Amino acid sequence: REEHSRAIVNEPPHTPSFQTLRAHNNSSREEHSSIIVDHLTYCVKMDRIGTEERDIKTMKLYSHVERIDNEIRERGLCDGAHIDPEELSEIDSMHYEGNDAIRAAIEVCGVDSSSQVLDIGSGFGGPARVFSKETNCKVVAIELQEDVHKKAAELTERCKLEQLVSHYHGNFLDYNLEELGNGPVSFDAVTSWLVFLHIPDKAALLKNCFKMLKKDGILYTEDYYMREAFTDAEEMSLKSDVYCSDLPTKEKYISELESAGFSDIEFVDKTTDWTVFVNERLQAFIAGKERFVRVHGEPTFDKLLHFYSAVAKLFNGGHLGGVRLIAKKK
């Protein structure tokens, strides 16, 4: 017993059994800590996405998602029935100038059946589906708002385009780009339609766009910019009604693109065209009030009327500009 006790007491801490146990404990602690860190990182990320989703809902264009279904039923398309994406685009597209704008992008970007396109802030998926319907290309569509994302995926299935259009939910700024489609350097074109205006950090945004493009790939986006300094009232309207702030000037926007690595930059001013568009949209919306209220209800009409009026007022003020940006990765 004494010999056994001495053996235990004198057993050095560097014996294999002790080292193995200590290594196992250390490994377990490290693994547990890593799991906790990963979980906390995920929670922070999801909380940020949730906050951004809630904030963008102040923009009344994105409230009352059910109006898409209301309009589909009004047109006699029963639940689950096949829908032509061209017809659907009259309902589900939030950008300006309809499918003419999409076809212009197809031509400029040289999109065909072999192309891979990334659509950022894809909304209900209208542009993505028209891209695929027109060219048979594959589109990866990423959208921040979960309810809008889910509706987009459902509509894509109803259009029988789920083999061509893939929907992802998340924030493009902090999304794992390796998991987005085929990852970085895999897209022939990156497109976006009146979405970049919601993202103040243009440097990070454009850097990610650059990463996703192949060599000679094209960035094609339609966006807002600041032509002249905004009034305090316009700043407030942009923030609360349109969910955007810190809009760049033309010079600043071009500089940001160059800093991200882009070249062959085309800054196509669309201000005049879009001023006409938003005013005509407002007048048509007011003229169609009776039908709209019957289909969607008075609260939805009031919210959209507020939004359309605010945007028209901003463009009419002469300080807000519209732009079609085209840039190449060389």
Side-chain angles (χ1 to χ4, degrees), residues 67-113:
R67 74 178 188 270
I68 301 295
D69 289 329
N70 293 342
E71 194 63 45
I72 288 172
R73 284 192 294 270
E74 176 67 12
R75 299 187 179 208
L77 298 167
C78 60
D79 292 343
H82 171 69
I83 306 175
D84 182 85
E86 296 277 353
E87 180 180 358
L88 184 59
S89 66
E90 298 174 11
I91 308 167
D92 64 4
S93 293
M94 304 292 110
H95 63 280
Y96 301 160
E97 300 179 328
N99 290 340
D100 288 343
I102 308 299
R103 295 187 181 103
I106 290 171
E107 182 178 354
V108 169
C109 298
V111 175
D112 58 29
S113 60

Side-chain angles (χ1 to χ4, degrees), residues 49-295:
I49 290 174
T51 300
E52 289 164 346
E53 285 192 63
R54 288 191 299 273
D55 288 348
I56 201 170
K57 291 301 185 186
T58 63
M59 183 178 174
K60 294 174 173 58
L61 181 66
Y62 294 133
S63 60
H64 296 282
V65 172
E66 69 277 2
R67 74 178 188 270
I68 301 295
D69 289 329
N70 293 342
E71 194 63 45
I72 288 172
R73 284 192 294 270
E74 176 67 12
R75 299 187 179 208
L77 298 167
C78 60
D79 292 343
H82 171 69
I83 306 175
D84 182 85
E86 296 277 353
E87 180 180 358
L88 184 59
S89 66
E90 298 174 11
I91 308 167
D92 64 4
S93 293
M94 304 292 110
H95 63 280
Y96 301 160
E97 300 179 328
N99 290 340
D100 288 343
I102 308 299
R103 295 187 181 103
I106 290 171
E107 182 178 354
V108 169
C109 298
V111 175
D112 58 29
S113 60
S114 67
S115 300
Q116 301 272 344
V117 177
L118 172 62
D119 191 31
I120 300 169
S122 50
F124 294 110
R129 286 187 289 272
V130 174
F131 255 94
S132 291
K133 171 71 182 305
E134 295 264 331
T135 68
N136 214 38
C137 71
K138 290 189 175 180
V139 181
V140 168
I142 181 168
E143 168 56 38
L144 173 67
Q145 301 170 84
E146 186 173 15
D147 56 347
V148 175
H149 154 74
K150 288 180 176 179
K151 180 55 61 178
E154 176 191 320
L155 293 172
T156 293
E157 288 187 7
R158 293 189 63 177
C159 290
K160 311 296 184 186
L161 288 171
E162 64 271 23
Q163 299 302 313
L164 292 176
V165 180
S166 303
H167 291 276
Y168 292 73
H169 170 234
N171 184 339
F172 180 64
L173 286 189
D174 57 20
Y175 204 90
N176 183 352
L177 301 183
E178 297 289 343
E179 297 178 358
L180 195 56
N182 293 324
V185 200
S186 66
F187 291 95
D188 300 283
V190 171
T191 62
S192 191
W193 311 90
L194 299 178
V195 171
F196 285 11
L197 59 97
H198 301 309
I199 306 172
D201 191 352
K202 294 291 191 293
L205 170 63
L206 296 173
K207 183 179 179 181
N208 276 4
C209 291
F210 191 84
K211 286 180 181 178
M212 300 308 285
L213 284 167
K214 298 177 182 176
K215 184 179 181 298
D216 294 325
I218 294 176
L219 170 66
Y220 188 106
T221 179
E222 295 194 343
D223 201 19
Y224 289 177
Y225 77 101
M226 183 174 69
R227 299 177 70 207
E228 297 180 24
F230 297 116
T231 66
D232 290 344
E234 287 172 335
E235 289 277 10
M236 181 63 69
S237 179
L238 284 166
K239 184 177 181 180
S240 61
D241 297 324
V242 190
Y243 188 65
C244 73
S245 59
D246 299 322
L247 287 177
T249 62
K250 174 182 178 179
E251 294 74 21
K252 179 63 174 176
Y253 218 145
I254 292 173
S255 175
E256 294 277 20
L257 285 162
E258 290 173 340
S259 296
F262 287 101
S263 58
D264 295 353
I265 299 167
E266 296 182 48
F267 192 99
V268 183
D269 197 294
K270 297 290 291 181
T271 306
T272 300
D273 293 340
W274 289 1
T275 300
V276 172
F277 177 87
V278 298
N279 279 283
E280 289 181 347
R281 177 180 66 176
L282 174 59
Q283 294 307 313
F285 185 71
I286 293 172
K289 177 179 180 178
E290 183 179 350
R291 176 192 181 277
F292 191 95
V293 169
R294 176 175 57 79
V295 176

